[in-house]
PDB file of all heavy atoms in Angstrom:
ATOM      1  N   ASN A 132     -52.628  -5.666 -12.235  1.00  0.00           N
ATOM      2  CA  ASN A 132     -52.733  -5.891 -10.797  1.00  0.00           C
ATOM      3  C   ASN A 132     -51.640  -5.068 -10.130  1.00  0.00           C
ATOM      4  O   ASN A 132     -50.459  -5.342 -10.341  1.00  0.00           O
ATOM      5  CB  ASN A 132     -52.554  -7.386 -10.512  1.00  0.00           C
ATOM      6  CG  ASN A 132     -53.308  -7.837  -9.300  1.00  0.00           C
ATOM      7  OD1 ASN A 132     -54.001  -7.061  -8.653  1.00  0.00           O
ATOM      8  ND2 ASN A 132     -53.175  -9.108  -8.977  1.00  0.00           N
ATOM      9  N   ARG A 133     -52.005  -4.053  -9.362  1.00  0.00           N
ATOM     10  CA  ARG A 133     -51.018  -3.144  -8.768  1.00  0.00           C
ATOM     11  C   ARG A 133     -51.263  -2.959  -7.274  1.00  0.00           C
ATOM     12  O   ARG A 133     -52.406  -2.899  -6.820  1.00  0.00           O
ATOM     13  CB  ARG A 133     -51.097  -1.760  -9.424  1.00  0.00           C
ATOM     14  CG  ARG A 133     -50.715  -1.741 -10.873  1.00  0.00           C
ATOM     15  CD  ARG A 133     -49.203  -1.910 -11.021  1.00  0.00           C
ATOM     16  NE  ARG A 133     -48.790  -1.842 -12.390  1.00  0.00           N
ATOM     17  CZ  ARG A 133     -48.224  -2.844 -13.038  1.00  0.00           C
ATOM     18  NH1 ARG A 133     -48.027  -3.990 -12.461  1.00  0.00           N
ATOM     19  NH2 ARG A 133     -47.848  -2.697 -14.285  1.00  0.00           N
ATOM     20  N   VAL A 134     -50.168  -2.839  -6.526  1.00  0.00           N
ATOM     21  CA  VAL A 134     -50.257  -2.542  -5.091  1.00  0.00           C
ATOM     22  C   VAL A 134     -50.695  -1.093  -4.924  1.00  0.00           C
ATOM     23  O   VAL A 134     -50.129  -0.188  -5.532  1.00  0.00           O
ATOM     24  CB  VAL A 134     -48.896  -2.772  -4.384  1.00  0.00           C
ATOM     25  CG1 VAL A 134     -48.947  -2.288  -2.941  1.00  0.00           C
ATOM     26  CG2 VAL A 134     -48.512  -4.235  -4.444  1.00  0.00           C
ATOM     27  N   VAL A 135     -51.719  -0.884  -4.117  1.00  0.00           N
ATOM     28  CA  VAL A 135     -52.214   0.455  -3.843  1.00  0.00           C
ATOM     29  C   VAL A 135     -51.689   0.929  -2.492  1.00  0.00           C
ATOM     30  O   VAL A 135     -51.337   2.089  -2.323  1.00  0.00           O
ATOM     31  CB  VAL A 135     -53.763   0.475  -3.855  1.00  0.00           C
ATOM     32  CG1 VAL A 135     -54.294   1.851  -3.533  1.00  0.00           C
ATOM     33  CG2 VAL A 135     -54.292   0.000  -5.183  1.00  0.00           C
ATOM     34  N   LEU A 136     -51.599   0.010  -1.524  1.00  0.00           N
ATOM     35  CA  LEU A 136     -51.212   0.360  -0.158  1.00  0.00           C
ATOM     36  C   LEU A 136     -50.612  -0.861   0.519  1.00  0.00           C
ATOM     37  O   LEU A 136     -51.098  -1.978   0.314  1.00  0.00           O
ATOM     38  CB  LEU A 136     -52.470   0.814   0.592  1.00  0.00           C
ATOM     39  CG  LEU A 136     -52.319   1.598   1.870  1.00  0.00           C
ATOM     40  CD1 LEU A 136     -51.650   2.942   1.611  1.00  0.00           C
ATOM     41  CD2 LEU A 136     -53.675   1.829   2.498  1.00  0.00           C
ATOM     42  N   ASP A 137     -49.574  -0.666   1.329  1.00  0.00           N
ATOM     43  CA  ASP A 137     -49.003  -1.790   2.069  1.00  0.00           C
ATOM     44  C   ASP A 137     -49.272  -1.626   3.561  1.00  0.00           C
ATOM     45  O   ASP A 137     -49.778  -0.605   4.012  1.00  0.00           O
ATOM     46  CB  ASP A 137     -47.515  -1.958   1.788  1.00  0.00           C
ATOM     47  CG  ASP A 137     -46.671  -0.784   2.241  1.00  0.00           C
ATOM     48  OD1 ASP A 137     -47.212   0.266   2.596  1.00  0.00           O
ATOM     49  OD2 ASP A 137     -45.431  -0.920   2.229  1.00  0.00           O
ATOM     50  N   GLY A 138     -48.927  -2.662   4.335  1.00  0.00           N
ATOM     51  CA  GLY A 138     -49.151  -2.628   5.774  1.00  0.00           C
ATOM     52  C   GLY A 138     -50.619  -2.732   6.153  1.00  0.00           C
ATOM     53  O   GLY A 138     -51.032  -2.255   7.205  1.00  0.00           O
ATOM     54  N   VAL A 139     -51.421  -3.367   5.306  1.00  0.00           N
ATOM     55  CA  VAL A 139     -52.863  -3.471   5.549  1.00  0.00           C
ATOM     56  C   VAL A 139     -53.160  -4.821   6.200  1.00  0.00           C
ATOM     57  O   VAL A 139     -52.899  -5.861   5.603  1.00  0.00           O
ATOM     58  CB  VAL A 139     -53.648  -3.341   4.225  1.00  0.00           C
ATOM     59  CG1 VAL A 139     -55.147  -3.443   4.457  1.00  0.00           C
ATOM     60  CG2 VAL A 139     -53.294  -2.046   3.523  1.00  0.00           C
ATOM     61  N   PRO A 140     -53.698  -4.823   7.424  1.00  0.00           N
ATOM     62  CA  PRO A 140     -54.021  -6.105   8.060  1.00  0.00           C
ATOM     63  C   PRO A 140     -55.255  -6.742   7.417  1.00  0.00           C
ATOM     64  O   PRO A 140     -56.000  -6.079   6.688  1.00  0.00           O
ATOM     65  CB  PRO A 140     -54.313  -5.714   9.518  1.00  0.00           C
ATOM     66  CG  PRO A 140     -54.775  -4.302   9.441  1.00  0.00           C
ATOM     67  CD  PRO A 140     -54.023  -3.693   8.283  1.00  0.00           C
ATOM     68  N   THR A 141     -55.488  -8.019   7.686  1.00  0.00           N
ATOM     69  CA  THR A 141     -56.700  -8.677   7.208  1.00  0.00           C
ATOM     70  C   THR A 141     -57.899  -7.907   7.734  1.00  0.00           C
ATOM     71  O   THR A 141     -57.957  -7.574   8.913  1.00  0.00           O
ATOM     72  CB  THR A 141     -56.746 -10.138   7.694  1.00  0.00           C
ATOM     73  OG1 THR A 141     -55.579 -10.803   7.207  1.00  0.00           O
ATOM     74  CG2 THR A 141     -57.991 -10.860   7.202  1.00  0.00           C
ATOM     75  N   GLY A 142     -58.820  -7.589   6.875  1.00  0.00           N
ATOM     76  CA  GLY A 142     -59.973  -6.780   7.272  1.00  0.00           C
ATOM     77  C   GLY A 142     -59.636  -5.299   7.362  1.00  0.00           C
ATOM     78  O   GLY A 142     -60.394  -4.518   7.934  1.00  0.00           O
ATOM     79  N   GLY A 143     -58.516  -4.903   6.783  1.00  0.00           N
ATOM     80  CA  GLY A 143     -58.058  -3.517   6.882  1.00  0.00           C
ATOM     81  C   GLY A 143     -58.811  -2.544   6.011  1.00  0.00           C
ATOM     82  O   GLY A 143     -58.696  -1.338   6.190  1.00  0.00           O
ATOM     83  N   LEU A 144     -59.581  -3.035   5.044  1.00  0.00           N
ATOM     84  CA  LEU A 144     -60.439  -2.172   4.235  1.00  0.00           C
ATOM     85  C   LEU A 144     -61.862  -2.669   4.408  1.00  0.00           C
ATOM     86  O   LEU A 144     -62.169  -3.818   4.114  1.00  0.00           O
ATOM     87  CB  LEU A 144     -60.054  -2.211   2.753  1.00  0.00           C
ATOM     88  CG  LEU A 144     -60.991  -1.444   1.805  1.00  0.00           C
ATOM     89  CD1 LEU A 144     -61.005   0.056   2.126  1.00  0.00           C
ATOM     90  CD2 LEU A 144     -60.605  -1.669   0.363  1.00  0.00           C
TER      91      LEU A 144
END
Side-chain angles (χ1 to χ4, degrees):
N132 210 1
R133 295 287 182 243
V134 172
V135 178
L136 197 64
D137 64 349
V139 180
T141 301
L144 174 63

